Amino acid sequence: MAFRTLYKTLFNIEIHHSYFLDDGLSPYISMNDDEKRIQLKKYNFLDYINVIPTYATQAILGNHKLVLRKGLDGFRVLSSVIEENDRFKSLRFLENDLKLTFLVYVKDYLFDNYTELSKADNRLYYFSNSKPITEADPYSYIPLGSSNDLITDEFLLTEESTRQLWFDLEQDNIRAEIKKRLDLIAELENDDVLTDEGKQIIDQSVQKDRGKGLLGIIELQMIGDNNMDIIEIDNTDPNDIKSFLLDPTPTYKLHFENRKTIWKYIKKSDENELETSSVKPLTRNGFIEIDPDTDFTGPLPVDIDKYIFPNPTANIVKQTTDVNTNITTTYSEIFI
């Protein structure tokens, strides 16, 4: 009789973005289930982001009979299991401190234009179910799939935490690799992380990957903080410790917010510029009506009824800072 390996989902990570999922002024997070399903049919997170397991995590996946599967709205990791007393035990024991780490890379060069997110040179976004020791409270854990929390600057690590995390990840990668690493970070020791030279080497290593689109890191530990666990450990028999998958399956979500901008309509033929009085969201789907009488500031052209007001694309987004107030305004320019 042929042997069939059984796989069950260990955890899910949903990756959503309001720019792609909102319908004009109708936010995805406020839609009912049927409306959400319609929006998700035309959605693929891989259009703008990619998620890649680190070299060390690739080795862990193989050694622990785990499989990474990407879908249209996120990814999941499956575990090879054995059914035992109506539960699913992982075929390979999963240690409570075992971590799976994934690098999040931006693929779309317009991502910054349509995403409400800050960037800092030597800081990375970090989404995890466990808090680094270098981070202070309050700390933002990876949002649950049932939440409507959006990704904000609260998920940015400090520079100290970014360096320590990146150094630790590189050390894990070095231990998992067969060939000797020749870059400078491979020569660092633990104590070097706090030296000026060590900081510079790590910062340069981070910047190298930032140049490839690195935005942040997803890292999940089998037993997390605050009961944010991926598995359950059964150690009732010290000679046969087991790891069981959880039911329901742990699900987490990264939901990026779409950028809101002042819409500036430019009609060069008449040398006219019209600006909306308030910001409006950038969305790929749907249409937002413009009412000249209520949406614009300042006097209107006498032939305003002949004007057509298309919605902006994400291609032209500019920021200006008032030298007196130091207030930065973000504009979408639309030539009509």
Side-chain angles (χ1 to χ4, degrees):
M1 184 175 65
F3 176 75
R4 185 173 66 91
T5 303
L6 179 62
Y7 281 89
K8 290 292 183 180
T9 302
L10 182 64
F11 63 83
N12 294 301
I13 302 284
E14 298 174 348
I15 301 179
H16 292 170
H17 200 306
S18 294
Y19 173 74
F20 297 94
L21 291 172
D22 286 3
D23 186 15
L25 291 175
S26 299
Y28 174 81
I29 59 176
S30 298
M31 295 179 183
N32 60 43
D33 290 343
D34 289 336
E35 292 169 331
K36 287 182 177 179
R37 277 191 287 271
I38 293 173
Q39 294 303 99
L40 287 172
K41 284 182 179 179
K42 49 192 174 184
Y43 176 77
N44 188 344
F45 87 97
L46 292 171
D47 287 341
Y48 63 94
I49 266 183
N50 197 11
V51 176
I52 301 174
T54 63
Y55 191 92
T57 292
Q58 292 178 42
I60 291 172
L61 293 174
N63 293 336
H64 288 76
K65 299 291 185 182
L66 304 175
V67 177
L68 171 66
R69 287 285 182 267
K70 296 178 183 179
L72 294 179
D73 70 334
F75 70 94
R76 56 182 175 151
V77 170
L78 300 94
S79 172
S80 177
V81 297
I82 299 173
E83 191 168 2
E84 185 176 296
N85 298 325
D86 295 326
R87 302 172 68 192
F88 293 104
K89 182 185 76 171
S90 61
L91 189 62
R92 297 284 175 86
F93 178 70
L94 304 175
E95 300 86 355
N96 60 353
D97 59 351
L98 181 71
K99 292 182 179 181
L100 299 178
T101 309
F102 306 88
L103 304 179
V104 181
Y105 287 92
V106 171
K107 295 169 57 178
D108 186 358
Y109 73 99
L110 292 175
F111 180 83
D112 290 340
N113 282 11
Y114 57 72
T115 306
E116 194 65 54
L117 211 59
S118 300
K119 277 193 174 181
D121 286 342
N122 299 317
R123 300 171 65 188
L124 292 174
Y125 284 88
Y126 186 62
F127 314 105
S128 180
N129 61 345
S130 63
K131 181 172 77 73
I133 59 173
T134 50
E135 286 291 299
D137 290 322
Y139 174 76
S140 295
Y141 290 93
I142 185 171
L144 298 175
S146 57
S147 79
N148 286 326
D149 293 344
L150 297 170
I151 300 305
T152 67
D153 295 352
E154 291 181 358
F155 293 92
L156 266 176
L157 291 175
T158 63
E159 290 191 6
E160 177 189 4
S161 294
T162 297
R163 291 192 192 101
Q164 186 63 59
L165 174 65
W166 194 253
F167 172 77
D168 291 340
L169 294 182
E170 288 289 57
Q171 292 300 304
D172 290 341
N173 289 337
I174 291 168
R175 285 189 287 269
E177 290 175 346
I178 298 175
K179 293 190 298 183
K180 180 176 174 61
R181 290 276 294 275
L182 300 177
D183 46 347
L184 292 175
I185 198 170
E187 305 299 325
L188 295 180
E189 303 290 341
N190 289 331
D191 293 340
D192 296 328
V193 177
L194 299 178
T195 67
D196 290 340
E197 182 181 7
K199 291 178 182 179
Q200 184 180 20
I201 290 173
I202 297 172
D203 287 346
Q204 289 173 346
S205 179
V206 171
Q207 287 305 312
K208 182 180 178 181
D209 266 64
R210 286 286 297 272
K212 301 174 184 176
L214 179 65
L215 176 69
I217 294 166
I218 299 172
E219 187 166 66
L220 294 180
Q221 185 168 282
M222 293 302 107
I223 300 297
D225 300 342
N226 305 323
N227 295 317
M228 295 180 69
D229 302 335
I230 303 298
I231 58 170
E232 179 182 344
I233 300 291
D234 182 351
N235 55 8
T236 53
D237 183 354
N239 297 317
D240 185 22
I241 301 177
K242 306 171 183 177
S243 53
F244 287 93
L245 276 61
L246 296 181
D247 184 18
T249 301
T251 298
Y252 305 98
K253 179 168 59 180
L254 309 186
H255 191 133
F256 297 98
E257 184 178 8
N258 51 340
R259 188 181 292 279
K260 280 75 175 173
T261 62
I262 295 291
W263 293 7
K264 179 186 289 188
Y265 290 90
I266 303 171
K267 191 170 185 180
K268 285 192 171 182
S269 60
D270 296 342
E271 297 184 349
N272 277 332
E273 290 188 2
L274 299 170
E275 295 181 6
T276 56
S277 56
S278 60
V279 295
K280 295 184 180 297
L282 296 179
T283 61
R284 194 175 69 168
N285 301 301
F287 186 79
I288 298 174
E289 293 281 352
I290 293 294
D291 183 344
D293 293 327
T294 58
D295 284 321
F296 292 133
T297 57
L300 299 176
V302 293
D303 59 344
I304 188 67
D305 57 317
K306 297 180 180 179
Y307 280 53
I308 297 174
F309 301 104
N311 286 185
T313 67
N315 293 71
I316 306 179
V317 174
K318 297 181 178 180
Q319 290 185 326
T320 60
T321 302
D322 190 297
V323 293
N324 297 316
T325 64
N326 203 35
I327 296 175
T328 298
T329 304
T330 305
Y331 294 91
S332 290
E333 291 186 346
I334 311 105
F335 293 88
I336 56 177

